[in-house]
Amino acid sequence: MPISARPIVELAVMVMLACFFAPSVFAQTERSPDPLYCGERDLGRYFYCNRAQRETPPLEPKITVGASSLPTAREEVAEIREQLEELRAEAVLRPTTESVSAYIAFQREQLDRASHFSDVWRRALWANPELDYNLVRPVSQMGKRAWLDTRSADREEVLSTLHERYGLFYFYAASCTACTEFSPVLADFAQSHKLTVKAVSTDGGPNPHFPDAVSDQGQMARLGLAGSPTPAVVLFDTETKAVMPVSFGIVAQAELADRIFILTQTKPGEDY
């Protein structure tokens, strides 16, 4: 290679390198004092020309002047969260004794704050029983047992007179294995609570537990259950003509009783 051509070739190679690293190079232009990319040979650390390490300024508490500049509670919580995330990021990226200790100390401060909140919460419930959901739906073993006993007694009382107003539609198929298993369960449940059951066969097959069953002549569709799986139990209110699906598939008698009690005696959201 001729000697006179060498500087031109080296310059071309440097231009190619500059194009390859264009995003990083031009982003750091203010840190590259040499117009030929920090010199022909000295590319610096990581090709960034010995760039200075970025230092994250510490977050300082907000200075308030007058009532109008006070941050809201939500803004304070956001600042705490932001500071915690910044301290954690600093400790992970640049783990020193100081950075990790700062993160631990600030995190502990927020844990203490949460513990204080929890303590005030329970004291507020003790002083204001109307706010304590445990009095409505106990979670303790003794309280829960007493609640369940009361609930069971109320349910049985309601079911004892349910037949005076409500009846059941039962949709099944003779070819349905689940229906074969569930039919005697429903028959026993209905007999125990004197409930009238109108059994409807979706495939025209008989049912030994419901000898008065009829074939589906559009009843399922009229009740809004077209295409629903079997077995299906539907509660019918003879006063309001309301239709309330109770169950699909195999369900235990206790579950049937609880669902019917909820559908007839409680409003949505009241039991939670």
Side-chain angles (χ1 to χ4, degrees):
M1 178 182 299
I3 297 177
S4 58
R6 183 170 181 177
I8 297 176
V9 173
E10 290 182 351
L11 180 60
V13 171
M14 292 173 62
V15 170
M16 292 174 62
L17 288 173
C19 293
F20 182 78
F21 293 103
S24 300
V25 171
F26 293 113
Q28 301 295 329
T29 302
E30 67 278 6
R31 298 175 183 172
S32 304
D34 194 319
L36 291 180
Y37 192 42
C38 307
E40 295 184 5
R41 295 294 184 182
D42 183 15
L43 295 180
R45 185 184 181 191
Y46 304 123
F47 300 96
Y48 281 89
C49 304
N50 298 319
R51 61 173 180 170
Q53 185 176 1
R54 181 177 65 87
E55 296 182 358
T56 302
L59 295 176
E60 298 181 356
K62 186 174 182 179
I63 301 176
T64 59
V65 180
S68 60
S69 61
L70 289 175
T72 65
R74 186 166 57 180
E75 289 173 342
E76 288 190 54
V77 171
E79 289 180 2
I80 291 173
R81 185 183 298 111
E82 181 180 354
Q83 187 170 355
L84 182 64
E85 292 176 354
E86 180 64 28
L87 289 172
R88 179 174 58 189
E90 181 69 24
V92 171
L93 294 177
R94 290 172 278 276
T96 63
T97 301
E98 292 76 13
S99 63
V100 173
S101 297
Y103 172 60
I104 294 175
F106 192 76
Q107 184 186 52
R108 177 57 187 270
E109 180 181 341
Q110 306 320 311
L111 290 175
D112 291 342
R113 189 193 301 269
S115 298
H116 185 201
F117 169 77
S118 298
D119 188 31
V120 175
W121 175 290
R122 66 175 183 173
R123 291 169 187 265
L125 293 181
W126 294 343
N128 301 275
E130 70 277 5
L131 300 177
D132 192 354
Y133 181 72
N134 287 331
L135 298 180
V136 179
R137 193 71 176 265
V139 294
S140 67
Q141 198 69 20
M142 182 179 298
K144 190 174 183 179
R145 187 183 304 112
W147 183 88
L148 289 174
D149 291 342
T150 302
R151 177 63 171 263
S152 180
D154 292 342
R155 184 178 61 194
E156 289 305 315
E157 182 179 354
V158 168
L159 291 175
S160 65
T161 59
L162 196 72
H163 65 279
E164 298 174 1
R165 177 174 173 175
Y166 296 92
L168 295 176
F169 279 101
Y170 174 48
F171 295 95
Y172 74 94
S175 58
C176 167
T177 303
C179 299
T180 301
E181 295 292 330
F182 180 64
S183 291
V185 175
L186 179 61
D188 185 60
F189 175 81
Q191 183 178 8
S192 300
H193 299 92
K194 302 178 182 179
L195 285 168
T196 299
V197 178
K198 186 66 175 180
V200 181
S201 176
T202 58
D203 61 0
N207 191 315
H209 301 282
F210 298 97
D212 297 331
V214 298
S215 297
D216 186 9
Q217 300 296 325
Q219 296 95 319
M220 200 170 190
R222 286 195 294 271
L223 294 179
L225 300 175
S228 297
T230 56
V233 177
V234 179
L235 189 67
F236 181 74
D237 189 339
T238 59
E239 292 186 8
T240 64
K241 310 303 178 184
V243 175
M244 294 169 279
V246 176
S247 68
F248 297 94
I250 300 176
V251 179
Q253 290 192 32
E255 180 66 18
L256 279 175
D258 198 46
R259 292 188 185 187
I260 291 174
F261 176 81
I262 292 172
L263 289 171
T264 59
Q265 304 301 313
T266 65
K267 298 178 181 179
E270 184 179 88
D271 211 25
Y272 285 87

